[in-house]
Amino acid sequence: MSGLVKLELDHNGIRALLSMAEMHTVIEGLAEQIASTVRASVPAGAEVVVESYITDRGAAAVVVKDRAAMGWQARDGVLTRAAGAAGLEVRAR
């Protein structure tokens, strides 16, 4: 190798890409995929929904509307495993 390569991020381009309607559609699709995996992992009748919203970009949350959901996540990692199965990397803040 002859030397180092300089890499400069185009923050405005990244911001524009993330705020596109098509990107929001991709995010919603991933959230639906995660929700489907979670539904298969929790007891029948547990309500699993996707809540889509927009901030400075499109976003979505997968919500398990059941009192036992925190226990399922703590014990089995149902949301974390479903996100991983969809190809997402989950990290603690």
Side-chain angles (χ1 to χ4, degrees), residues 55-71:
T55 57
D56 61 329
R57 63 192 76 166
V62 177
V63 180
V64 183
K65 295 187 173 188
D66 192 290
R67 294 172 62 155
M70 284 193 294

